[in-house]
Amino acid sequence: MYFLSGWPKRLLCPLGSLAEAPCHVQSDPQRTFFAVLAPARLSIWYSRPSVLIVTYKEPAKSSSQFGSYKEAEWRPDSTMIAVSTANGYILFFHITSTRGDKYLYEPVYPKGSPQMKGTPHFKEEQCAPALNLEMKKILDLQSPIMSLQSVLEDLLVATSDGLLHLIHWEGMTNGRKAINLCTVPFSVDLQSSRGSFLGFADVHIRDMEYCATLDGFAVVFNDGKVGFITPVSSRFTAEQLHGVWPQDVVDGTCVAVNNKYRLMAFGCASGSVQVYTIDNTTGAMLLSHKLELTAKQYPDIWNKTGAVKLVRWSPDNSVVIVTWEYGGLSLWSVFGAQLICTLGGDFAYRSDGTKKDPLKINSMSWGAEGYHLWVISGFGSQNTEIESDPNSIGKQPGILLFQFIKSVLTVNPCMSNQEQVLLQGEDRLYLNCGEASQTQNPRSSSAHSEHKPSQEKNSFADGGLESQGLSTLLGHRHWHVVQISSTYLESNWPIRFSAIDKLGQNIAVVGKFGFAHYSLLTKKWKLFGNITQEQSMIVTGGLAWWKDFIVLACYNINDRQEELRVYLRTSNLDNAFAHVTKAQAETLLLSVFRDMVIVFRADCSICLYSIERKSDGPNTTAGIQVLQEVSMSRYIPHPFLVVSVTLTSVSTENGITLKMPQQARDAESIMLNLAGQLIMMQRDRSGPQIREKDSNQRKLLPFCPPVVLAQSVENVWTTCRANKQKRHLLEALWLSCGGAGMKVWLPLFPRDHRKPHSFLSQRIMLPFHINIYPLAVLFEDALVLGAVNDTLLYDSLYTRNSAREQLEMLFPFCVVERTSQIYLHHILRQLLVRNLGEQALLLAQSCSTLPYFPHVLELMLHEVLEEEATSREPIPDPLLPTVAKFITEFPLFLQTVVHCARKTEYALWNYLFAAVGNPKDLFEECLMAQDLDTAASYLIILQNMEVPAVSRQHATLLFNTALEQGKWDLCRHMIRFLKAIGSGESETPPSTPTAQEPSSSGGFEFFRNRSISLSQSAENVPASKFSLQKTLSMPSGPSGKRWSKDSDCAENMYIDMMLWRHARRLLEEVRLKDLGCFAAQLGFELISWLCKERTRAARVDNFVIALKRLHRDFLWPLPIIPASSISSPFKNGKFRTVGEQLLKSQSADPFLNLEIDAGISNVQRSRSWLNNIGPAHHEIDTASSHGPQMQDAFLSPLSNKGDECSIGSATDLTESSSMVDGDWTVVDENFSTLSLTQSELEHISMELASKGPHKSQVQLRYLLHIFLEAGCLDWCIVIGLILRESSVINQILVIIQSSEVNGEMLQNIKTGLHAVDRWASTDCPGYKPFLNIIKPQLQKLNEITEEQVQPEAFQPITVGKTPEQSSPRVEESRGSSGHGSIPQSEVGGSSMVSRKEEDTAGAEEEESFQDGTYDCSVS
């Protein structure tokens, strides 16, 4: 409702001495002037600007006669002030305007400014008037005056001798006798035939306040009793007065009255405020509610505040402010919701945790419209300090102005059918939907950047929808702040009403006269062009938006006529474009529902109008017609008591039972908030439901007599939208009831449109509590939006001694934050309590798509669990089983339970699982539902509730399932978890493998995450990325040293067994991609394991199936032959197909196309990659300096000379002598002149089309490297076939020739390749060209297998045919690598063939190309 803003301001009082310090402040009825009393002076202050106008100083002589000034009271027309003094005198002062037209401050405008001429009223609005004060009359009542009260044309004075004086404002008693309180009868209610008198002698009134709407006085007596005195008839004499009192208040100290809600707030010595109302029928005083601090919120101060000192209701009667003897301020809504209290938090403590002295308040008064609170601060606790240190302004009494921002609902309740939160300050508006416009108008994004730092732009709902997107309304915590046009404010301060349209794009504000509106899209204000029109209208009943029109009720000063006006937003703001309808009486409230306007008037009548758009010629206007008038004077005692009036489609019947279903959509009922009582009047459908055929206008049905729906209602929310899916929420009525929380009047629908039970009511009122003050309800989203005060301390900016008592030190800086809260779980719970589970289910299912629905279920379960499990007494009918059963209806059941369990303490788990089921069963359900993350959460619960064996068993289940599904993060956690259980240690093992691990995963990690392509030089990549150490040198233990600290632990063996089993399964199912991921993610030592499994799991049983499976897993396309089988452009067969060279050049993979790595420029890279890979890695260092050079840039044409030149491998390069010493990275200008022919381009594009994704290529090459190292040659062959690289096949053949290879494996490879050949002939002819290329190698393979010759372990092979024989490199490499033989068991086939063998292989392959005469069909 009301929120503090910023720091309080301190007004400069011209203090001569402490004796002149102000002690009392009282505003005039219009709150324009403030009378400030000091012991011997009276000052008049102006409200805006807050300046001192005039001071009357009492001479010393008369001052000693009268005594010090105590209290002041204004005459209703602000022309006189009555001041009471300590010695029983009343002084009457006249206020007169001096010097004719003079003002204290005059605005100075530059020459030619439009404000100079033709602005009526402008002077008195903009500057403080010059006034005179003179004492006219002195009245001596001969006894100390306790209370002054202005009542209509009289002044009521209570004195300490128990008398009530009624004095005329001219200072005469008019011959009326003073009333002695002892003669006024008091009773518990007005029905008692005879009241008892106040039976003690020295009774007198301590404080009193007149209540116009109750026509009587709320009084507090000196003994702490409280009561209400009312004249029985119009004459005010002792015989005609009667008093009522409540029995239970004996410590009253002060009183304040709320006229709008007919409430009397009595402050008590205990520190609480008791709020009473009068029962309409009996006239007795009924306790409405109490305002008191709770021990929960303010544990250290709640019972130490002392007596209540002052209570003040705000001008709009929506909030009350309370202060205590101890000090401090607290702000409460009408029915007791606490909004602010300065006894806790940053108000009470400094940033270093020390306690501050609370602000003591001697007097306070609200400013205009409640934007300011004028406060006279007290002396503080140590009076001595003041004399010693006159500079400590914090302790000096003075005038402070607290600034407030308030919700628009306090003054313009028709805003309650909107979904926006709109707050109004004295010169600015705060919106929660300001970001919406920015998506439509990108220019405007920076206009208010200072108010909303880096907020996200929210998507804006379509114009057709009447609701904004959820993200727009929730978005972020900052407000969109709109500064009100200063031109309008200058002559029309204060702002009285404001309204925002449905879509949150336009705002209108109303000040003293006229109105103005603002568009959030254009960021512009629109004001009246003719200021005379603006100054001649006073808006009385609020304003509302209807589509593009502003509807308002106003008083036309010129014609002295009440009017209803409609202005179009898009046209100029001028009466010429307005549609005006005359009204009979003053309009107090106005509201719009669909295409109807409902108006409540001062004669207690309600009038319904229809509103429609009219286009006559160029201008569009809206037409308004009266539909129906309803007189309410029988039910409403005073028109001022009506807080809000609204039309709704809510009725006690829900659409099913109506005779005519289309009427369900029409305006059904009027909701009237009468002083906190919500009254509903429905249409009377009991008569004949006949429509006149001839008239278009259906005769509107009359309304039934009113029914009271609820008490203590502050705000009502309803919507006119309809949504079949969320009928419960959209057809409900939402009420905010102050301290009692919220209520919802929910419709109950029979399921599947069955006939409803006659005994089942069709609506139900459900109360629920929320932690924020509600300002708007989002119906479909089941959210309440609100705002909350937040504080920021800046006291650390000031050094302790210098400015200790600055206001910035004493008070935190106040800001208003947006908040929101889910309420759905409260409603579901209330329905379940009332055994309406079916309705709860319907409601929950309609909201199950909301993003926070899982949170709703969790909250409900959590709250019920906390309440019931911690309850001291046994609960006769526990709700938890019902809630648990309810949650099982939703797929989120398992998550909800486990999340709730993990957020509650262990002690409550048994109670929870007794209701929801055994955690073991729930764990198994998770596994069946494949919800592994939730299962892991259950595992933690099982670990705490069960013995280790059980949790280990369940963990194993989960681990296997996670392996199967490739949930690697979970697998890593499970390994840690299993180790923790096994070792029985509390500390958890490392989640990542230790550094000593032979990281075969390192390389794969690189492949997975790599951001550099392999054709770049690898020098710029840290060497640690690829530590492909030689695994064969590792110990032969099953797990190597994965867990270095307890490598001998049985637990490791257990985990390794599971890992091995999984790897075996992956290989058997030919899931190489999964195997690679598995090894890399879990640090599994693939190579050492493959070495062991070479003849078992790691052999390929069916080459064709393996080939197909790899094509599928790596998304690698099967090769195809184009329809017109194009022959290779390189007809002579000496060079490879373009595609193969392309493939090679693109990948440039240093350790697979090993022939490429022949040059000095590659030394660094080869070292980092091939670190420890094979026995032959030293020779690269000593490679001769005149060896062929090789750089990393491919795909540039090599030559424009006549030589045919391939783009490919280094061995080709040695033959094309023209480029032997050239630098490949430098492309000459003349190179660019060469262009490829059409057919070559087609070849290249066909080749590229038959390749898979780059990532797959990298992964396949990595796997090839792994299998080569482990000696699984059959797998290498399969990968070579997929990559279609003859060099790979060649290399494997070299290995087979050079080292001892299992004959079985050879046979397997041979039969496998034959099978592939047969398959290619029948099913996949695209493979034939490649198989033809490698035919010579296959023949060699046949020879080897037939001979089954096992050569010695590592004999140098004769290199006779290669042109490279003359290179010294071969000799060196032979020398460096021929150190002896490597035993089969250790090598595992071949650890990685030495460099000279690879070169040989390359040369042989080259030769086969030279000899062969194949025409390759390239796909």
Side-chain angles (χ1 to χ4, degrees):
M1 273 300 183
Y2 273 62
F3 306 97
L4 269 175
S5 167
W7 279 298
K9 295 177 184 166
R10 186 189 296 282
L11 299 187
L12 289 171
C13 299
L15 283 185
S17 68
L18 279 172
E20 295 170 13
C23 60
H24 182 83
V25 61
Q26 182 69 40
S27 70
D28 77 327
Q30 284 75 44
R31 302 185 190 272
T32 315
F33 300 104
F34 289 83
V36 176
L37 297 184
R41 59 167 68 195
L42 163 66
S43 311
I44 306 292
W45 289 70
Y46 195 60
S47 59
R48 178 184 164 97
S50 307
V51 290
L52 177 62
I53 298 175
V54 63
T55 300
Y56 173 88
K57 192 172 179 187
E58 190 69 54
K61 184 181 172 191
S62 53
S63 177
S64 59
Q65 176 195 345
F66 299 146
S68 57
Y69 292 177
K70 287 294 179 202
E71 234 183 293
E73 186 66 30
W74 289 78
R75 187 169 172 163
D77 60 2
S78 301
T79 56
M80 288 182 76
I81 299 177
V83 176
S84 65
T85 67
N87 296 345
Y89 289 87
I90 295 180
L91 313 178
F92 290 90
F93 291 89
H94 270 233
I95 299 173
T96 52
S97 190
T98 55
R99 300 176 299 217
D101 201 18
K102 286 285 186 184
Y103 293 86
L104 285 183
Y105 301 94
E106 298 223 341
V108 179
Y109 293 111
K111 279 182 182 154
S113 161
Q115 264 120 340
M116 282 290 285
K117 43 197 177 294
T119 313
H121 306 295
F122 85 98
K123 283 199 165 172
E124 65 218 48
E125 305 309 342
Q126 290 170 17
C127 30
L131 301 177
N132 251 353
L133 263 184
E134 56 178 313
M135 193 192 292
K136 275 287 163 93
K137 185 92 181 159
I138 300 166
L139 190 64
D140 183 5
L141 294 179
Q142 290 160 2
S143 128
I145 294 164
M146 302 311 294
S147 182
L148 276 184
Q149 188 70 37
S150 174
V151 182
L152 309 175
E153 280 307 301
D154 293 309
L155 188 66
L156 190 67
V157 184
T159 53
S160 63
D161 53 6
L163 296 180
L164 266 178
H165 302 269
L166 200 62
I167 299 166
H168 196 263
W169 266 106
E170 295 305 321
M172 294 169 288
T173 54
N174 285 358
R176 295 189 221 176
K177 278 214 322 273
I179 300 162
N180 190 337
L181 288 176
C182 293
T183 62
V184 178
F186 272 81
S187 57
V188 177
D189 57 40
L190 289 178
Q191 290 174 331
S192 313
S193 56
R194 184 89 190 101
S196 59
F197 296 104
L198 297 169
F200 44 91
D202 58 347
V203 64
H204 63 261
I205 290 177
R206 181 171 170 178
D207 191 16
M208 65 178 174
E209 192 167 335
Y210 177 66
C211 178
T213 50
L214 285 171
D215 189 28
F217 306 89
V219 294
V220 178
F221 296 109
N222 55 332
D223 65 340
K225 284 201 171 67
V226 301
F228 180 73
I229 301 176
T230 176
V232 180
S233 71
S234 56
R235 296 195 51 226
F236 200 92
T237 58
E239 293 75 52
Q240 298 299 326
L241 290 181
H242 191 282
V244 287
W245 58 6
Q247 298 287 293
D248 45 358
V249 181
V250 290
D251 62 344
T253 56
C254 56
V255 65
V257 164
N258 185 328
N259 278 307
K260 198 172 199 67
Y261 290 89
R262 298 173 109 177
L263 294 174
M264 296 167 277
F266 294 100
C268 300
S270 65
S272 69
V273 176
Q274 310 219 17
V275 184
Y276 278 86
T277 182
I278 295 284
D279 186 335
N280 285 338
T281 49
T282 66
M285 287 178 73
L286 300 175
L287 180 67
S288 163
H289 56 278
K290 285 185 180 184
L291 313 177
E292 49 192 356
L293 300 181
T294 60
K296 189 178 174 186
Q297 283 178 295
Y298 301 95
D300 48 350
I301 195 72
W302 66 280
N303 53 1
K304 302 190 185 74
T305 55
V308 174
K309 190 168 183 183
L310 295 166
V311 181
R312 294 279 183 272
W313 291 96
S314 65
D316 55 23
N317 292 293
S318 58
V319 293
V320 62
I321 196 148
V322 177
T323 181
W324 297 273
E325 293 289 348
Y326 171 82
L329 278 175
S330 64
L331 190 69
W332 311 74
S333 74
V334 183
F335 290 108
Q338 187 187 317
L339 301 169
I340 301 164
C341 179
T342 65
L343 292 181
D346 290 344
F347 289 100
Y349 296 95
R350 298 187 182 88
S351 50
D352 59 4
T354 54
K355 208 162 172 10
K356 303 181 199 173
D357 286 337
L359 173 76
K360 287 204 170 25
I361 293 172
N362 290 342
S363 175
M364 57 185 174
S365 183
W366 284 96
E369 294 296 320
Y371 293 128
H372 291 118
L373 181 73
W374 290 58
V375 164
I376 305 281
S377 58
F379 284 94
S381 46
Q382 304 90 356
N383 289 352
T384 52
E385 219 177 276
I386 296 163
E387 281 78 27
S388 63
D389 179 13
N391 297 330
S392 77
I393 49 177
K395 296 284 184 283
Q396 284 181 12
I399 306 174
L400 296 180
L401 253 63
F402 285 88
Q403 303 167 75
F404 286 93
I405 298 165
K406 63 179 181 174
S407 161
V408 65
L409 292 173
T410 57
V411 282
N412 200 17
C414 73
M415 290 295 300
S416 66
N417 56 7
Q418 314 267 91
E419 302 198 340
Q420 291 93 4
V421 176
L422 177 63
L423 306 182
Q424 58 189 53
E426 64 165 338
D427 61 349
R428 63 191 63 188
L429 299 170
Y430 294 75
L431 291 85
N432 73 331
C433 54
E435 294 308 291
S437 55
Q438 303 201 347
T439 49
Q440 298 184 351
N441 184 1
R443 284 181 298 113
S444 65
S445 57
S446 61
H448 282 286
S449 53
E450 71 276 12
H451 292 302
K452 37 187 180 53
S454 69
Q455 300 157 2
E456 68 264 16
K457 307 283 178 281
N458 289 314
S459 56
F460 188 58
D462 304 338
L465 289 175
E466 291 200 339
S467 164
Q468 281 178 280
L470 184 58
S471 59
T472 310
L473 294 167
L474 284 178
H476 39 74
R477 299 189 70 184
H478 300 282
W479 295 94
H480 183 78
V481 183
V482 176
Q483 209 73 32
I484 297 170
S485 157
S486 56
T487 316
Y488 181 72
L489 270 183
E490 209 166 52
S491 48
N492 296 296
W493 186 90
I495 295 299
R496 294 185 299 132
F497 306 112
S498 58
I500 187 168
D501 67 349
K502 275 270 194 303
L503 291 170
Q505 293 177 323
N506 302 293
I507 314 170
V509 295
V510 172
K512 202 176 204 173
F513 299 104
F515 74 99
H517 62 87
Y518 174 83
S519 160
L520 281 130
L521 296 176
T522 61
K523 303 261 189 282
K524 287 197 176 119
W525 281 96
K526 209 175 254 192
L527 276 62
F528 271 97
N530 182 345
I531 197 154
T532 327
Q533 290 184 5
E534 176 188 280
Q535 299 291 322
S536 67
M537 69 184 277
I538 297 176
V539 177
T540 56
L543 78 167
W545 286 87
W546 176 76
K547 297 183 177 162
D548 245 0
F549 296 91
I550 299 160
V551 185
L552 50 84
C554 66
Y555 175 68
N556 185 334
I557 297 173
N558 297 347
D559 303 352
R560 301 191 176 175
Q561 172 69 50
E562 300 290 343
E563 294 174 344
L564 197 61
R565 295 190 186 181
V566 184
Y567 290 85
L568 178 64
R569 176 182 69 83
T570 49
S571 64
N572 285 344
L573 200 43
D574 195 292
N575 292 347
F577 300 113
H579 176 90
V580 180
T581 308
K582 289 189 166 41
Q584 287 81 22
E586 183 189 349
T587 302
L588 297 180
L589 291 162
L590 169 146
S591 176
V592 172
F593 174 80
R594 294 193 183 133
D595 296 336
M596 295 170 89
V597 179
I598 181 170
V599 160
F600 177 75
R601 303 211 182 101
D603 59 359
C604 292
S605 66
I606 288 173
C607 188
L608 301 180
Y609 294 90
S610 70
I611 179 169
E612 59 181 350
R613 200 186 195 100
K614 284 184 178 169
S615 297
D616 43 337
N619 18 341
T620 309
T621 59
I624 280 192
Q625 286 178 321
V626 177
L627 290 179
Q628 193 174 8
E629 290 214 28
V630 187
S631 173
M632 297 289 294
S633 49
R634 289 170 54 198
Y635 311 111
I636 296 175
H638 195 295
F640 184 63
L641 296 174
V642 178
V643 180
S644 70
V645 60
T646 172
L647 267 177
T648 71
S649 52
V650 170
S651 71
T652 47
E653 283 119 22
N654 38 37
I656 305 154
T657 55
L658 295 176
K659 298 170 192 160
M660 300 171 72
Q662 79 275 2
Q663 291 171 351
R665 293 191 300 276
D666 300 335
E668 284 294 342
S669 51
I670 293 173
M671 293 285 172
L672 201 75
N673 184 348
L674 176 65
Q677 270 196 341
L678 187 65
I679 294 173
M680 176 168 91
M681 293 192 310
Q682 301 189 77
R683 296 222 181 261
D684 186 359
R685 298 187 183 280
S686 55
Q689 305 262 319
I690 303 164
R691 292 181 64 172
E692 290 83 355
K693 293 278 187 292
D694 49 336
S695 68
N696 299 333
Q697 182 74 49
R698 190 174 88 243
K699 188 169 177 298
L700 287 165
L701 296 169
F703 285 96
C704 299
V707 183
V708 176
L709 285 186
Q711 303 280 357
S712 308
V713 176
E714 292 181 6
N715 284 316
V716 184
W717 290 275
T718 143
T719 180
C720 54
R721 289 199 304 278
N723 180 339
K724 276 271 169 51
Q725 274 69 49
K726 297 192 175 176
R727 289 188 62 189
H728 279 93
L729 295 177
L730 283 176
E731 293 181 26
L733 187 72
W734 304 90
L735 315 175
S736 140
C737 300
M742 284 186 80
K743 289 181 181 166
V744 56
W745 201 37
L746 202 68
L748 301 178
F749 299 110
R751 236 168 135 173
D752 320 319
H753 296 287
R754 292 186 295 225
K755 194 172 182 327
H757 300 298
S758 52
F759 61 83
L760 182 70
S761 83
Q762 297 182 339
R763 280 187 175 267
I764 186 167
M765 187 74 80
L766 302 173
F768 61 94
H769 272 277
I770 58 170
N771 302 330
I772 62 174
Y773 188 85
L775 296 177
V777 175
L778 301 188
F779 303 95
E780 287 99 330
D781 299 310
L783 275 178
V784 172
L785 302 184
V788 66
N789 251 124
D790 199 6
T791 48
L792 305 166
L793 274 177
Y794 284 98
D795 56 3
S796 52
L797 303 179
Y798 296 91
T799 52
R800 256 322 168 58
N801 38 19
S802 66
R804 180 163 183 168
E805 302 306 336
Q806 290 285 352
L807 279 180
E808 291 82 352
M809 278 287 289
L810 291 173
F811 295 99
F813 185 81
C814 294
V815 289
V816 185
E817 298 256 320
R818 293 167 51 174
T819 55
S820 58
Q821 199 170 343
I822 303 168
Y823 57 73
L824 195 57
H825 57 291
H826 295 297
I827 298 176
L828 295 176
R829 182 178 167 183
Q830 292 286 352
L831 287 170
L832 292 176
V833 168
R834 289 163 174 74
N835 286 329
L836 293 169
E838 198 173 81
Q839 297 291 330
L841 202 56
L842 286 173
L843 173 57
Q845 281 162 348
S846 71
C847 298
S848 57
T849 52
L850 292 176
Y852 34 79
F853 184 70
H855 186 55
V856 168
L857 295 180
E858 206 180 302
L859 273 175
M860 178 165 69
L861 185 62
H862 186 79
E863 284 181 9
V864 175
L865 171 66
E866 290 269 306
E867 268 175 44
E868 296 190 356
T870 56
S871 153
R872 296 201 177 142
E873 288 80 36
I875 296 165
D877 188 14
L879 188 61
L880 191 64
T882 320
V883 171
K885 188 163 177 286
F886 176 76
I887 294 175
T888 52
E889 296 288 331
F890 296 93
L892 300 159
F893 166 66
L894 296 164
Q895 278 137 287
T896 307
V897 169
V898 78
H899 288 171
C900 176
R902 292 193 61 185
K903 288 174 192 168
T904 43
E905 49 193 299
Y906 172 67
L908 311 184
W909 283 5
N910 284 327
Y911 189 81
L912 171 66
F913 287 109
V916 297
N918 189 321
K920 284 191 273 197
D921 303 340
L922 300 176
F923 173 85
E924 277 152 28
E925 277 181 55
C926 290
L927 280 188
M928 283 164 66
Q930 304 284 306
D931 187 357
L932 302 191
D933 293 328
T934 309
S937 296
Y938 275 109
L939 199 56
I940 291 166
I941 285 165
L942 283 172
Q943 183 197 7
N944 286 308
M945 294 181 76
E946 302 282 348
V947 293
V950 174
S951 45
R952 176 179 179 148
Q953 174 194 350
H954 286 81
T956 309
L957 267 174
L958 180 57
F959 184 38
N960 285 331
T961 320
L963 282 174
E964 192 45 54
Q965 292 192 13
K967 297 270 177 71
W968 306 121
D969 273 344
L970 186 57
C971 290
R972 282 194 285 272
H973 287 312
M974 293 315 301
I975 290 176
R976 239 174 53 217
F977 184 80
L978 281 165
K979 287 181 66 65
I981 294 178
S983 57
E985 295 161 2
S986 55
E987 71 209 40
T988 52
S991 56
T992 49
T994 51
Q996 288 113 311
E997 178 188 351
S999 167
S1000 57
S1001 69
F1004 208 85
E1005 293 278 312
F1006 170 67
F1007 279 107
R1008 254 185 328 130
N1009 308 324
R1010 81 196 236 290
S1011 53
I1012 49 167
S1013 93
L1014 277 178
S1015 55
Q1016 295 170 349
S1017 162
E1019 288 162 29
N1020 51 4
V1021 182
S1024 60
K1025 273 269 188 181
F1026 352 103
S1027 50
L1028 287 170
Q1029 298 153 356
K1030 183 178 157 205
T1031 44
L1032 304 174
S1033 60
M1034 292 303 296
S1036 53
S1039 60
K1041 262 199 181 145
R1042 188 187 302 108
W1043 312 104
S1044 52
K1045 66 175 179 176
D1046 39 9
S1047 51
D1048 51 349
C1049 175
E1051 208 50 54
N1052 288 344
M1053 193 64 192
Y1054 178 66
I1055 294 168
D1056 278 335
M1057 292 301 285
M1058 284 195 280
L1059 294 173
W1060 292 344
R1061 190 169 62 219
H1062 184 65
R1064 198 171 294 125
R1065 259 194 56 213
L1066 291 178
L1067 261 184
E1068 281 163 4
E1069 293 172 17
V1070 199
R1071 286 160 57 187
L1072 282 200
K1073 188 163 192 169
D1074 294 348
L1075 182 71
C1077 289
F1078 162 72
Q1081 293 279 359
L1082 298 185
F1084 179 70
E1085 289 144 29
L1086 201 49
I1087 297 181
S1088 59
W1089 180 78
L1090 283 171
C1091 288
K1092 282 187 295 190
E1093 295 287 334
R1094 195 181 316 148
T1095 54
R1096 291 178 301 220
R1099 57 173 282 179
V1100 185
D1101 293 330
N1102 186 326
F1103 272 58
V1104 177
I1105 290 177
L1107 207 54
K1108 285 182 183 169
R1109 199 52 78 66
L1110 288 185
H1111 271 292
R1112 191 192 68 201
D1113 284 358
F1114 287 94
L1115 308 174
W1116 201 271
L1118 287 165
I1120 47 171
I1121 297 183
S1124 58
S1125 182
I1126 312 165
S1127 349
S1128 164
F1130 301 97
K1131 274 275 174 29
N1132 56 5
K1134 175 181 174 184
F1135 300 105
R1136 315 184 178 175
T1137 61
V1138 181
E1140 182 137 38
Q1141 294 153 6
L1142 258 180
L1143 214 137
K1144 188 155 276 182
S1145 60
Q1146 271 204 347
S1147 66
D1149 197 322
F1151 59 78
L1152 294 176
N1153 303 333
L1154 283 161
E1155 327 146 51
I1156 295 180
D1157 283 323
I1160 290 168
S1161 60
N1162 260 8
V1163 167
Q1164 292 303 110
R1165 186 171 64 185
S1166 304
R1167 282 306 294 274
S1168 63
W1169 272 105
L1170 297 171
N1171 188 11
N1172 283 340
I1173 270 179
H1177 65 277
H1178 292 294
E1179 81 273 24
I1180 307 175
D1181 305 345
T1182 51
S1184 67
S1185 54
H1186 52 70
Q1189 277 200 332
M1190 172 73 181
Q1191 295 291 103
D1192 269 357
F1194 293 99
L1195 274 183
S1196 47
L1198 290 185
S1199 161
N1200 57 351
K1201 303 192 179 66
D1203 335 355
E1204 302 139 336
C1205 182
S1206 89
I1207 313 174
S1209 65
T1211 29
D1212 297 336
L1213 207 66
T1214 50
E1215 310 224 321
S1216 55
S1217 54
S1218 62
M1219 282 294 289
V1220 166
D1221 288 89
D1223 188 347
W1224 278 33
T1225 50
V1226 179
V1227 182
D1228 251 3
E1229 299 83 49
N1230 49 355
F1231 280 14
S1232 57
T1233 55
L1234 178 75
S1235 62
L1236 293 171
T1237 64
Q1238 179 66 27
S1239 61
E1240 285 170 335
L1241 276 173
E1242 281 176 18
H1243 274 286
I1244 291 172
S1245 59
M1246 289 296 295
E1247 264 301 331
L1248 287 173
S1250 65
K1251 277 177 52 186
H1254 182 63
K1255 190 175 177 185
S1256 296
Q1257 187 180 332
V1258 173
Q1259 289 172 341
L1260 280 168
R1261 291 183 180 284
Y1262 176 69
L1263 285 169
L1264 178 60
H1265 160 68
I1266 292 285
F1267 284 123
L1268 257 179
E1269 183 144 337
C1272 301
L1273 301 182
D1274 36 7
W1275 274 116
C1276 300
I1277 296 270
V1278 174
I1279 296 174
L1281 285 173
I1282 279 214
L1283 292 172
R1284 294 200 295 291
E1285 291 197 10
S1286 49
S1287 57
V1288 174
I1289 311 287
N1290 232 358
Q1291 192 179 336
I1292 293 157
L1293 284 175
V1294 171
I1295 292 171
I1296 290 171
Q1297 291 172 30
S1298 64
S1299 57
E1300 298 183 9
V1301 173
N1302 191 323
E1304 200 179 320
M1305 185 186 281
L1306 285 180
Q1307 198 58 43
N1308 191 25
I1309 291 174
K1310 184 178 156 189
T1311 49
L1313 284 169
H1314 283 309
V1316 170
D1317 199 29
R1318 281 197 302 281
W1319 167 72
S1321 308
T1322 54
D1323 293 355
C1324 185
Y1327 260 114
K1328 285 306 272 185
F1330 180 65
L1331 290 171
N1332 289 341
I1333 291 174
I1334 59 168
K1335 217 164 213 164
Q1337 283 92 315
L1338 299 189
Q1339 284 161 1
K1340 273 189 195 167
L1341 181 67
N1342 287 345
E1343 291 162 18
I1344 295 172
T1345 46
E1346 280 157 18
E1347 294 165 17
Q1348 275 295 322
V1349 176
Q1350 300 279 351
E1352 315 264 29
F1354 217 83
Q1355 288 174 345
I1357 292 169
T1358 49
V1359 192
K1361 308 169 196 161
T1362 54
E1364 251 186 1
Q1365 194 172 11
S1366 56
S1367 158
R1369 183 173 163 199
V1370 178
E1371 309 303 323
E1372 280 177 308
S1373 67
R1374 182 191 304 170
S1376 63
S1377 61
H1379 291 316
S1381 61
I1382 300 169
Q1384 161 113 13
S1385 63
E1386 195 187 320
V1387 180
S1390 149
S1391 61
M1392 195 52 149
V1393 281
S1394 65
R1395 190 48 156 250
K1396 66 163 192 228
E1397 292 162 357
E1398 289 151 29
D1399 289 342
T1400 315
E1404 285 171 359
E1405 185 182 339
E1406 197 64 47
E1407 193 179 48
S1408 73
F1409 268 119
Q1410 289 166 356
D1411 301 346
T1413 52
Y1414 310 112
D1415 277 348
C1416 304
S1417 302
V1418 184
S1419 60

